[in-house]
Amino acid sequence: MIAILLLLSFAVALVAAGFLYQWIGSYRDRIRYTRDGRWVDIGERRRLYVLEKGSGGPTVLFESGIAATNLNWHHIQETVAQFTHTASYDRGGLGWSSRAYTARTPANISVELHAMLQRAGIKPPYVLVGHSFGGLVMRRYALLYPEEVAGVVLVDPMRPEEWPPLDPAKQNMLDRGTRLSGIAVPIARCGLARLAVMSLLCRSGRLSNFLAGAAGDGGKHVLGRVKDEVSKMPREVWPVVAAHWSRPGFYTGMSGHVQAVPETVREMQDANPIIGIPVVLLTPATSSPLSDECLRRIGDSVEQIMAVDSAHWIHLDEPELVIESIRGMVTGVIAEPVAVN
């Protein structure tokens, strides 16, 4: 009986130590990694974290993929900021921003982004740049606030026809993502996620390899994909990526985005085309080019460019192609200023 009590006491102490380790780590991360940006209060207990760089105009706005943060644009933003003002941010529920209180659909996110820009004093015209899911957000923003938008750059935007409910075959993938996110929340709260991601990105990687091996082939596959994509990002942001992936809120936010995919697809499948605003669409070599009909559904002035050396993350595989596409938009706005009401 005494042995059982001692074992239980040890287990409780271990869990308590894990919670303390996570709390202290999160507190230090927030102080250490948020100094360059600021939080903008958009009302109703919501604050969005925004990072601005550069000066001049128009402002280039960056929107990340479905579970990504402003870190995805680190190198691109640093370079674009050399010739114009830029702003990247974390959507509600992700990164350093507060939790989300609405479904993570392009319309809801666009309204929040608009409120943030107004309250932050970041004035139009804007050149919108969106990757993957972020491409749908930028399309919706251009439809809601066309008078503010000078141009749009879509980096392999999400194709609604490839996802549920239009493509029910991928529903299992969404369900699995939601389920795994739910499992990860308590793991993150007790500090185990922090141990694993810090091992992967900031230390030897032995612990993360051990945990992935214990999870079987699925764990090894996920670890391999994570390593491959993160390795394309500048090393200076790896600790910040680890800080995000250590937080329970990251997995809650990711789950919210994944659960909203069917609603997002329903919202965007019949979206109106963008009229009177130039759009550049970058398609990777690993995907088939969009047909002329698909391009017309996006806008009346869409130029598709093939990224011949890229997979889905074109801004990491061929950053110069993305930078030059943005530069072309900015140059066009300067040559022909957009009237903003």
Side-chain angles (χ1 to χ4, degrees), residues 237-261:
V237 307
W238 288 17
V240 196
V241 173
H244 288 324
W245 290 358
S246 299
R247 297 173 56 249
F250 166 77
Y251 300 100
T252 302
M254 181 168 64
S255 177
H257 279 75
V258 171
Q259 289 176 346
V261 166

Side-chain angles (χ1 to χ4, degrees), residues 187-201:
I187 292 175
R189 283 180 178 152
C190 66
L192 286 176
R194 177 173 295 275
L195 283 172
V197 297
M198 289 297 176
S199 168
L200 174 64
L201 300 180

Side-chain angles (χ1 to χ4, degrees), residues 127-145:
V127 171
L128 309 179
V129 183
H131 170 242
S132 193
F133 172 82
L136 297 186
V137 175
M138 289 318 204
R139 281 179 58 190
R140 176 57 67 189
Y141 192 98
L143 291 171
L144 289 174
Y145 311 104

Side-chain angles (χ1 to χ4, degrees), residues 5 27 35 41 47 82 99 132-133 146 160 186 231 248 300 310:
L5 289 175
Y27 178 77
R35 295 170 181 168
D41 191 331
R47 295 200 309 161
Q82 296 174 15
R99 62 174 293 186
S132 193
F133 172 82
S231 67
D300 66 348
S310 294

Side-chain angles (χ1 to χ4, degrees), residues 250-307:
F250 166 77
Y251 300 100
T252 302
M254 181 168 64
S255 177
H257 279 75
V258 171
Q259 289 176 346
V261 166
E263 189 175 348
T264 290
V265 169
R266 285 189 288 268
E267 176 184 311
M268 296 303 297
Q269 65 175 317
D270 295 321
N272 292 327
I274 299 169
I275 303 299
I277 299 172
V279 177
V280 169
L281 187 146
L282 304 179
T283 299
T286 53
S287 297
S288 57
L290 269 70
S291 66
D292 290 341
E293 180 182 355
C294 288
L295 295 178
R296 284 192 293 270
R297 290 176 184 169
I298 293 174
D300 66 348
S301 179
V302 182
E303 177 189 7
Q304 180 171 214
I305 299 174
M306 297 301 298

Side-chain angles (χ1 to χ4, degrees), residues 26-339:
S26 294
Y27 178 77
R28 292 180 62 188
D29 290 343
R30 192 176 182 89
I31 293 175
R32 186 183 306 172
Y33 298 129
T34 60
R35 295 170 181 168
D36 293 337
R38 57 175 168 144
W39 282 273
V40 179
D41 191 331
I42 62 171
E44 299 178 348
R45 299 176 295 161
R46 298 170 300 170
R47 295 200 309 161
L48 300 183
Y49 179 80
V50 60
L51 178 66
E52 296 176 74
K53 290 182 179 291
S55 60
T59 292
V60 175
L61 297 176
F62 295 99
E63 186 76 52
S64 301
I66 196 163
T69 67
N70 76 87
L71 295 175
N72 253 241
W73 298 106
H74 178 83
H75 172 65
I76 302 290
Q77 185 173 10
E78 289 280 346
T79 305
V80 173
Q82 296 174 15
F83 57 83
T84 194
H85 180 247
T86 67
S88 61
Y89 82 111
D90 297 335
R91 289 192 297 274
L94 297 174
W96 303 118
S97 292
S98 60
R99 62 174 293 186
Y101 293 95
T102 61
R104 299 295 76 196
T105 62
N108 288 337
I109 294 168
S110 294
V111 170
E112 293 173 2
L113 174 58
H114 185 255
M116 185 202 75
L117 293 169
Q118 286 189 314
R119 299 196 180 196
I122 302 174
K123 300 186 180 303
Y126 308 125
V127 171
L128 309 179
V129 183
H131 170 242
S132 193
F133 172 82
L136 297 186
V137 175
M138 289 318 204
R139 281 179 58 190
R140 176 57 67 189
Y141 192 98
L143 291 171
L144 289 174
Y145 311 104
E147 69 283 354
E148 299 180 356
V149 180
V152 182
V153 178
L154 302 176
V155 183
D156 195 18
M158 181 176 167
R159 303 182 183 188
E161 64 274 12
E162 295 180 351
W163 293 93
L166 299 186
D167 183 1
K170 288 190 176 180
Q171 186 61 52
N172 286 337
M173 182 187 299
L174 298 182
D175 293 340
R176 185 166 62 251
T178 301
R179 186 167 58 252
L180 291 175
S181 297
I183 294 171
V185 171
I187 292 175
R189 283 180 178 152
C190 66
L192 286 176
R194 177 173 295 275
L195 283 172
V197 297
M198 289 297 176
S199 168
L200 174 64
L201 300 180
C202 304
R203 300 190 181 99
S204 67
R206 292 176 183 173
L207 177 60
S208 57
N209 288 329
F210 170 78
L211 293 174
D217 292 339
K220 292 178 182 178
H221 175 71
V222 170
L223 181 64
R225 290 199 61 180
V226 168
K227 283 182 175 179
D228 182 54
E229 296 303 339
V230 174
S231 67
K232 299 174 184 177
M233 302 175 70
R235 273 193 171 269
E236 60 264 33
V237 307
W238 288 17
V240 196
V241 173
H244 288 324
W245 290 358
S246 299
R247 297 173 56 249
F250 166 77
Y251 300 100
T252 302
M254 181 168 64
S255 177
H257 279 75
V258 171
Q259 289 176 346
V261 166
E263 189 175 348
T264 290
V265 169
R266 285 189 288 268
E267 176 184 311
M268 296 303 297
Q269 65 175 317
D270 295 321
N272 292 327
I274 299 169
I275 303 299
I277 299 172
V279 177
V280 169
L281 187 146
L282 304 179
T283 299
T286 53
S287 297
S288 57
L290 269 70
S291 66
D292 290 341
E293 180 182 355
C294 288
L295 295 178
R296 284 192 293 270
R297 290 176 184 169
I298 293 174
D300 66 348
S301 179
V302 182
E303 177 189 7
Q304 180 171 214
I305 299 174
M306 297 301 298
V308 296
D309 295 320
S310 294
H312 180 53
W313 297 60
I314 300 173
H315 53 303
L316 300 182
D317 292 330
E318 292 184 75
E320 289 303 321
L321 177 61
V322 178
I323 291 167
E324 289 309 309
S325 298
I326 296 170
R327 190 192 301 273
M329 283 288 185
V330 170
T331 301
V333 175
I334 294 174
E336 299 182 22
V338 176

